[in-house]
Amino acid sequence: MNALLEFLSFSDANVRYVALGSVLLTASSALVGSFTFLNKKSLVGDAIAHAVLPGICLGFILAGTKNPLFLLIGAFLTGWLSLVIIDFITHNTRIKEDSAIGLVLSVFFGIGILMLTTIQKSGNAAQSGLDHFLFGKAASLVGNDLLSFSIVAVVLVITVVILFKEFSLLAFDKDFAIALGLPVRTIQIVLTSLIVLAVVIGIQAVGVVLMAAILITPAAAARFWTDKIICMFILASLFGALSGLSGAFISYTAPSMPTGPWIVVVISFIAFFSFFFAPKRGVVSRLYRQYAIKKTINNENVLKILYQLGEANSNFTLYRNLPEIIRWRYYDEPKLIRILKRLTSQGYTERVGNTWCLTEAGKNRAQRVVKIHRLWELYLTTYMHIAPDHVHDDAETIEHLLTPELEERLEQQLGFPKLDPHQSEIPYNN
Amino acid sequence: MNDIYIITTAILVSCSCALLGCFLILRKMAMVGDAISHAVLPGIVIAFLLSGSRDSLTMLIGAGLLGVLTTFFIEFFHKKARLQTDASIGVTFTWLFAVGVILISVFAGKVDLDQDCVLYGEIAYVPLDTIITSSGMVLGPKAIYVSGFILLLIIAFIAFAYKELFLTTFDPAFAGAIGISTTLWHYVLMGAVSVTTVASFESVGAILVVALLIAPAATAFLLTDNFKWMLVLACLTGIIASIAGYYLAVWLDGSIAGAIASITGVIFLIAVFFSPLHGIAFRKVRASAH
């Protein structure tokens, strides 16, 4: 606890640099990365991250020192070049995009490693530290780095805010953007340049391999919590910032720990938590919804059987036993008993011994299901001109799902018909 | 002698990778291969800790399991959490790689693995680690035996399961219809990819193994329409790249693995333009002839 307070007080200048640098970096990368996520081009960020390595070496060879401007320009050039080549391969050969990405990233990285090792053996003393680009050095950020991080972060955030509408339009409906007369090509180039910029700065902190995570994992996590694009972007940068801060904190308490990988582990856990427990889109809530729907369908189907048995001899008050029900529609016996017990406890059926009968509420609900089923069959044959023997399966699904509003419109559109296509009576409630 | 040892190892590794790469790119799973090659890292470290040595068998098993687990994670996030495939691959492998790097630094004293080796291997040290019999006879570098064994394993695997792999790759629906489980072969293939990745790990590292997996196969894909020829041509490309790459590295005094990867890229580029079948140059010639 003390360590946490000490960390959060930012009294140590070193802590300040590392924490602020990591937060700026992760938050702004998450912002830009969200667009690559929405464009379904997550792995392109990975390709750029690997492809900047030869550029950095090239910048070093040309400058002879670790002049940041040369390194940046070199990185920018090869980062861009890799994207152009991926595009070229995908459009001009029969190689698919994923192979093209994998090929370009590994070959560029190979060239980068070849150059890097050659430089290292050339005896130029200024080269030491070039290999920081491989694994990052978030834990040893100094004042100068913070300055360049902040400048880039500000540039990224401002550009994203200004061009937000254009970027999102491009991600969701490129054809519409073209039709509107937007300079699509230019916007794409700006967006790609932003990504390359984020990568070039980012790999100094987390390294080549993990850069992709900083770009897309926050976006992937945020996507699970909201359907609103603005909320998603805010959440993504918050998640990013949180992971940056935690990463810095962990390497503050345990100095031997590498910051970059911890940032990635934290953001990944946020993402996994989101995948499983986010309301609506999460795995758990989806499974629960599926379970609930399955239960409703089973309930309604058993009610329907009892109703149809009643229809068969115009007596809804008779108690039916299990064989009778199973003969009408097959159910596994233990499962059927489970459903019937549930229905009884919900007040839809009554049990006497091993026989069941519909209550008034049960009869009403079953009647509605049967009515919708038959109305839908009639609708399909009248309006969609589907043969009467082809409509049952569809109706079997819709009977559980139709809302009362649609039910009413269906009745009115068809004019409260008496019979369905199979000459069964359509029951109304009055 | 040393250069022959190194080139032999490189050739053995690149042939195993090239063979599997053919299946990967045709199944549009090149990036899954990339993901596996990164994600086996924690498996290697854990196997390292458990066995306490660079003992190859434990490492192969550990990493093989982790590779299959990676595939499972990617599928799970994609199918159950409905995450788009690209993101599901990206999230999975970066996470596992990060865990691997953390494990390396936590157990820095106990694990004889450094970070650079993880990324680009140290094939130049292959001749140093030789097998010596009790009578003192030098049998040659261990890496040659390991990668040779893996290559034999991969060849046997492909020969034995050729029909299944072929059908699940080209016509999964038909394969399913005649009772071949697409899922099972998917996982078996991914297991093979992970084992190969690990065996190549020490020699060429996590990222350059991707170049060996994808580039020769992609080159062969541009050169032929016959799948068996594709396998052969991919191996040939790998062999040429291994030899040329070695001498390039010696000439520039740089990383051998990096040079091999660079050469695979150059060969691929040549194929893109000058493949008699699908090359851009020949397509232009044919188009103007019409």
Side-chain angles (χ1 to χ4, degrees):
Chain A
M1 201 60 215
N2 268 342
L4 184 64
L5 287 178
E6 227 175 280
F7 173 77
L8 287 176
S9 70
F10 296 118
S11 52
D12 187 341
N14 206 5
V15 172
R16 225 161 31 228
Y17 288 141
V18 176
L20 266 178
S22 310
V23 166
L24 280 175
L25 170 80
T26 45
S28 57
S29 301
L31 208 58
V32 183
S34 297
F35 284 114
T36 59
F37 175 82
L38 288 177
N39 282 316
K40 297 208 161 53
K41 293 211 181 300
S42 306
L43 295 170
V44 166
D46 194 32
I48 300 174
H50 288 74
V52 298
L53 190 62
I56 289 168
C57 296
L58 191 69
F60 177 80
I61 292 174
L62 290 180
T65 58
K66 287 208 301 292
N67 181 330
L69 194 65
F70 274 77
L71 299 191
L72 200 73
I73 293 173
F76 215 79
L77 281 179
T78 48
W80 252 104
L81 186 66
S82 71
L83 291 183
V84 173
I85 294 181
I86 290 174
D87 223 44
F88 179 82
I89 294 176
T90 327
H91 286 110
N92 289 294
T93 71
R94 55 178 187 160
I95 305 285
K96 299 284 176 297
E97 195 190 13
D98 67 320
S99 304
I101 292 177
L103 194 139
V104 167
L105 82 82
S106 54
V107 169
F108 267 73
F109 188 76
I111 297 172
I113 289 293
L114 182 62
M115 292 169 81
L116 184 68
T117 43
T118 307
I119 292 172
Q120 278 170 344
K121 284 181 187 159
S122 69
N124 184 342
Q127 61 83 20
S128 76
L130 265 188
D131 54 349
H132 279 322
F133 287 98
L134 291 178
F135 286 97
K137 46 146 190 178
S140 55
L141 293 175
V142 289
N144 278 340
D145 301 320
L146 187 61
L147 189 68
S148 56
F149 276 21
S150 326
I151 293 172
V152 171
V154 169
V155 170
L156 290 181
V157 172
I158 290 182
T159 322
V160 166
V161 169
I162 293 177
L163 291 175
F164 192 78
K165 199 182 72 194
E166 283 78 5
F167 286 161
S168 15
L169 188 56
L170 223 57
F172 289 113
D173 199 341
K174 195 173 153 193
D175 293 334
F176 182 55
I178 295 173
L180 279 182
L182 284 177
V184 171
R185 193 86 199 121
T186 318
I187 299 171
Q188 265 171 339
I189 291 176
V190 173
L191 180 58
T192 312
S193 304
L194 289 187
I195 297 166
V196 176
L197 194 63
V199 168
V200 171
I201 294 298
I203 61 167
Q204 298 180 55
V206 296
V208 166
V209 178
L210 300 177
M211 190 56 219
I214 306 292
L215 281 172
I216 54 151
T217 311
R223 182 66 189 88
F224 276 74
W225 297 92
T226 173
D227 284 334
K228 278 213 181 78
I229 184 166
I230 302 254
C231 297
M232 180 189 145
F233 275 71
I234 293 173
L235 266 180
S237 13
L238 280 180
F239 288 158
L242 184 66
S243 64
L245 199 63
S246 335
F249 173 66
I250 289 167
S251 64
Y252 169 69
T253 44
S256 67
M257 285 291 171
T259 316
W262 272 111
I263 294 178
V264 174
V265 166
V266 172
I267 189 63
S268 302
F269 272 104
I270 297 177
F272 296 154
F273 184 82
S274 313
F275 295 167
F276 282 98
F277 302 111
K280 275 199 198 158
R281 291 177 67 97
V283 174
V284 171
S285 86
R286 204 196 328 266
L287 286 181
Y288 176 75
R289 256 197 330 272
Q290 272 172 14
Y291 170 74
I293 290 175
K294 214 159 123 191
K295 223 161 72 172
T296 314
I297 290 178
N298 274 331
N299 281 354
E300 295 190 342
N301 278 342
V302 171
L303 287 175
K304 202 170 69 179
I305 300 172
L306 288 170
Y307 184 86
Q308 284 167 341
L309 281 168
E311 244 182 2
N313 49 16
S314 325
N315 188 349
F316 292 101
T317 52
L318 266 183
Y319 282 77
R320 313 282 177 175
N321 59 19
L322 292 175
E324 251 179 306
I325 297 175
I326 291 173
R327 210 177 312 126
W328 193 267
R329 175 177 179 158
Y330 180 76
Y331 261 100
D332 187 37
E333 203 174 293
K335 186 177 167 192
L336 182 60
I337 292 176
R338 228 172 28 243
I339 298 169
L340 282 166
K341 275 186 183 158
R342 194 161 65 215
L343 285 170
T344 309
S345 72
Q346 289 172 354
Y348 288 119
T349 51
E350 256 171 21
R351 177 179 188 171
V352 174
N354 248 346
T355 58
W356 283 266
C357 170
L358 288 173
T359 61
E360 197 53 36
K363 189 186 160 207
N364 282 337
R365 185 156 171 202
Q367 188 184 325
R368 175 172 182 262
V369 172
V370 171
K371 179 184 77 182
I372 293 173
H373 182 107
R374 291 177 184 167
L375 279 174
W376 188 254
E377 287 189 337
L378 191 62
Y379 175 78
L380 287 182
T381 48
T382 344
Y383 285 92
M384 313 301 291
H385 304 291
I386 296 173
D389 55 344
H390 278 63
V391 292
H392 175 79
D393 290 338
D394 204 32
E396 196 67 14
T397 317
I398 203 87
E399 64 187 14
H400 306 291
L401 304 172
L402 213 67
T403 61
E405 295 81 22
L406 283 172
E407 177 190 347
E408 203 178 310
R409 281 187 60 183
L410 201 57
E411 285 173 341
Q412 279 164 2
Q413 179 132 19
L414 294 165
F416 294 92
K418 295 251 169 336
L419 294 175
D420 81 349
H422 309 106
Q423 310 310 318
S424 309
E425 196 187 324
I426 299 176
Y428 292 99
N429 209 3
N430 36 39
Chain B
M1 204 58 198
N2 278 357
D3 45 359
I4 290 182
Y5 284 150
I6 294 174
I7 293 174
T8 314
T9 313
I11 287 175
L12 292 171
V13 167
S14 59
C15 284
S16 313
C17 291
L19 289 173
L20 291 173
C22 291
F23 291 102
L24 285 183
I25 71 160
L26 289 173
R27 287 167 169 246
K28 301 191 187 63
M29 283 175 30
M31 288 315 283
V32 179
D34 177 54
I36 288 180
S37 72
H38 289 70
V40 292
L41 184 60
I44 291 180
V45 181
I46 292 170
F48 229 98
L49 290 171
L50 291 182
S51 69
S53 71
R54 281 186 117 117
D55 179 22
S56 306
L57 193 65
T58 341
M59 283 204 350
L60 289 182
I61 294 171
L65 285 178
L66 219 85
V68 174
L69 196 69
T70 312
T71 321
F72 172 77
F73 271 135
I74 293 174
E75 293 273 305
F76 180 83
F77 290 146
H78 178 53
K79 295 243 168 74
K80 294 289 175 202
R82 311 253 176 106
L83 188 64
Q84 58 205 46
T85 332
D86 57 333
S88 134
I89 293 175
V91 171
T92 309
F93 87 81
T94 48
W95 173 65
L96 286 165
F97 190 80
V99 170
V101 176
I102 291 173
L103 284 176
I104 289 185
S105 37
V106 172
F107 300 104
K110 292 179 203 150
V111 178
D112 176 24
L113 254 184
D114 61 42
Q115 294 193 330
D116 294 354
C117 156
V118 167
L119 283 192
Y120 55 92
E122 38 196 29
I123 198 168
Y125 300 149
V126 159
L128 300 181
D129 185 13
T130 49
I131 298 179
I132 302 169
T133 57
S134 49
S135 57
M137 207 171 73
V138 180
L139 288 178
K142 207 175 108 194
I144 290 189
Y145 289 94
V146 174
S147 42
F149 173 70
I150 294 294
L151 179 58
L152 284 181
L153 211 65
I154 299 292
I155 292 174
F157 168 59
I158 293 176
F160 182 69
Y162 186 78
K163 188 185 78 186
E164 283 80 0
L165 287 171
F166 188 82
L167 281 179
T168 50
T169 302
F170 287 99
D171 198 343
F174 177 64
I178 61 170
I180 298 171
S181 162
T182 325
T183 325
L184 174 74
W185 287 101
H186 175 75
Y187 280 103
V188 172
L189 185 65
M190 290 304 120
V193 172
S194 353
V195 168
T196 311
T197 310
V198 184
S200 328
F201 208 86
E202 285 184 55
S203 318
V204 295
I207 298 175
L208 299 176
V209 73
V210 182
L212 292 180
L213 277 171
I214 302 175
T219 309
F221 187 51
L222 293 176
L223 293 175
T224 176
D225 284 336
N226 178 310
F227 184 63
K228 281 184 182 152
W229 273 110
M230 183 175 161
L231 292 171
V232 175
L233 286 172
C235 286
L236 273 180
T237 312
I239 293 171
I240 296 172
S242 304
I243 299 171
Y246 176 76
Y247 288 106
L248 177 68
V250 170
W251 179 53
L252 289 176
D253 192 16
S255 149
I256 298 165
I260 295 175
S262 312
I263 297 284
T264 60
V266 173
I267 300 178
F268 174 76
L269 215 59
I270 295 173
V272 166
F273 286 100
F274 303 112
S275 155
L277 213 54
H278 298 284
I280 291 171
F282 285 85
R283 231 168 34 211
K284 288 253 164 68
V285 171
R286 268 202 300 275
S288 62
H290 279 298

